[in-house]
């Protein structure tokens, strides 16, 4: 390979099995402290992606995450939290994993090596040119992800790649490379650790910033959240109380009548 595969570099810590529990945990925490700074370095690239997403979402476009293993699961996690948090239809942000839904809980042998499968998975969602495909791969070499990004790019879609190996094939292939250099893993090569954490932080930033930009947040409140349990109904009621300066009882009545915080507040303006 023509680049240094940082995710396979030896850990900064050795003889882990000789450490006591406190030493292990302190050493892991020492490594984890580096992650947020590494993500901060790629904010310009994340900004470019969010701006591109905002433009396409206003036209009805969608966001697709594709990945394998931990990376795929993190994409699915982020996508699954958009409807309850922001009230968006589940088909607007979609996570796809090599091996299909069964791979969410249990690894599917050789699934990530299928170079054409990601595009087939995307086609099943009737993907169009106003959609955006974000590949997630710590190594930056996962065939499932590379094949999907390559096909999406050829079809004229906006593509981005989240990777922890700067200069990797995914970074070179993606229109917007998001290269998060978190350094070697605490356990050598275990990208479920620092790499995975950096991916989670980045996905939080992408989806949350996008939802704010397209109007799914008011002030700092989740005014479009789904009211699926008593805790969220209580939270929504308190948002309305604060927004309209009214009693809890009146706020809950408005929430029940209108079905959302946003609509309840708008009804009184």
């Amino acid at each position: 390979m023509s680049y240094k595969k940082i995710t396979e570099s030896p850990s900064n810590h050795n003889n882990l099995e000789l450490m006591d529990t406190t030493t292990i945990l302190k050493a892991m925490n020492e490594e984890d402290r580096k992650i947020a700074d590494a993500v901060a370095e790629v904010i310009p690239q994340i900004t470019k992606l969010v701006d591109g997403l905002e433009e396409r979402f206003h036209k009805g476009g969608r966001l697709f995450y594709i990945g394998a293993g931990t990376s795929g699961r993190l994409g699915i996690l982020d996508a699954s939290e958009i409807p309850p948090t922001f009230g968006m239809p589940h088909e607007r942000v979609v996570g796809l994993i090599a091996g299909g839904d069964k791979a969410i809980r249990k690894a599917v042998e050789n699934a990530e090596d299928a170079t054409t499968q990601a595009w087939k998975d995307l086609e099943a969602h009737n993907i169009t040119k106003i959609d955006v495909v974000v590949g997630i791969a710590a190594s930056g070499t996962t065939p499932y992800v590379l094949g999907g990004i390559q096909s999406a790019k050829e079809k004229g879609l906006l593509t981005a790649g989240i990777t922890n190996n700067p200069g990797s094939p995914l970074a070179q292939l993606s229109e917007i490379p998001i290269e998060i250099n978190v350094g070697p893993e605490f356990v050598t090569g275990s990208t479920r650790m620092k790499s995975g954490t950096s991916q989670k932080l980045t996905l939080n930033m992408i989806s949350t910033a996008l939802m704010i930009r397209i109007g799914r947040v008011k002030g700092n409140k989740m005014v479009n959240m789904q009211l699926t349990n008593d805790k969220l109904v209580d939270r929504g009621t308190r948002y309305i109380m604060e927004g309209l300066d009214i009693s809890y009882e009146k706020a809950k009545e408005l929430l029940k009548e209108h079905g959302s915080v946003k609509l309840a507040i708008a009804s009184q303006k």
Side-chain angles (χ1 to χ4, degrees), residues 3-263:
Y3 70 100
K4 182 180 179 181
K5 204 168 186 180
I6 294 169
T7 55
E8 297 296 331
S9 298
S11 172
N12 294 321
H13 307 266
N14 203 355
N15 299 317
L16 305 186
E17 74 279 10
L18 302 181
M19 295 180 180
D20 60 40
T21 302
T22 298
T23 302
I24 291 171
L25 298 178
K26 286 184 175 181
M28 288 176 64
N29 183 248
E30 176 188 327
E31 291 298 325
D32 287 344
R33 289 172 184 271
K34 303 172 184 178
I35 300 171
D37 287 342
V39 173
E41 292 292 327
V42 297
I43 286 178
Q45 289 74 39
I46 299 173
T47 299
K48 186 176 180 181
L49 174 56
V50 173
D51 288 345
L53 279 162
E54 180 187 357
E55 177 186 350
R56 288 159 178 79
F57 258 64
H58 284 309
K59 298 175 182 177
R62 298 166 293 172
L63 166 59
F64 289 90
Y65 296 128
I66 57 173
T70 298
S71 297
R73 295 182 188 102
L74 288 170
I76 289 171
L77 173 62
D78 193 68
S80 69
E81 292 175 340
I82 300 306
T85 307
F86 301 106
M88 290 291 287
H90 68 88
E91 64 268 16
R92 295 300 297 278
V93 181
V94 178
L96 299 173
I97 185 170
D101 285 354
K102 61 183 178 181
I104 297 172
R105 290 183 177 273
K106 186 177 180 180
V108 176
E109 189 174 355
N110 299 325
E112 70 173 57
D113 296 328
T115 57
T116 60
Q117 188 59 48
W119 184 249
K120 292 177 183 177
D121 293 343
L122 290 164
E123 284 189 311
H125 291 268
N126 299 313
I127 195 161
T128 73
K129 287 186 177 180
I130 59 171
D131 296 325
V132 178
V133 180
V134 177
I136 314 167
S139 67
T141 60
T142 307
Y144 176 85
V145 175
L146 294 179
I149 293 295
Q150 178 68 53
S151 295
K153 189 175 181 181
E154 290 172 354
K155 302 294 184 181
L157 281 74
L158 177 63
T159 62
I162 301 173
T163 177
N164 299 99
N165 279 324
S168 68
L170 179 58
Q172 294 178 26
L173 186 61
S174 303
E175 185 173 339
I176 303 175
I178 300 174
E179 304 166 278
I180 315 165
N181 184 357
V182 295
E185 295 290 357
F186 178 68
V187 175
T188 300
S190 181
T191 53
R192 56 178 284 274
M193 302 183 76
K194 288 161 63 180
S195 295
T197 300
S198 75
Q199 292 170 12
K200 175 66 169 120
L201 291 177
T202 301
L203 295 173
N204 284 348
M205 294 168 76
I206 292 167
S207 58
T208 304
L210 172 62
M211 292 299 119
I212 293 169
R213 292 297 302 160
I214 64 173
R216 308 304 293 184
V217 172
K218 179 69 173 177
N220 56 17
K221 304 294 193 300
M222 298 179 290
V223 295
N224 288 284
M225 64 182 175
Q226 294 178 350
L227 305 170
T228 53
N229 57 47
D230 290 342
K231 177 189 73 175
L232 296 178
V233 170
D234 177 70
R235 181 184 295 166
T237 300
R238 294 183 186 281
Y239 285 175
I240 296 169
M241 284 178 63
E242 180 180 326
L244 298 177
D245 193 24
I246 59 177
S247 70
Y248 185 93
E249 291 71 23
K250 177 60 176 176
K252 191 168 185 178
E253 182 181 318
L254 285 172
L255 184 59
K256 184 177 180 180
E257 178 183 352
H258 295 281
S260 83
V261 175
K262 185 174 184 178
L263 293 176

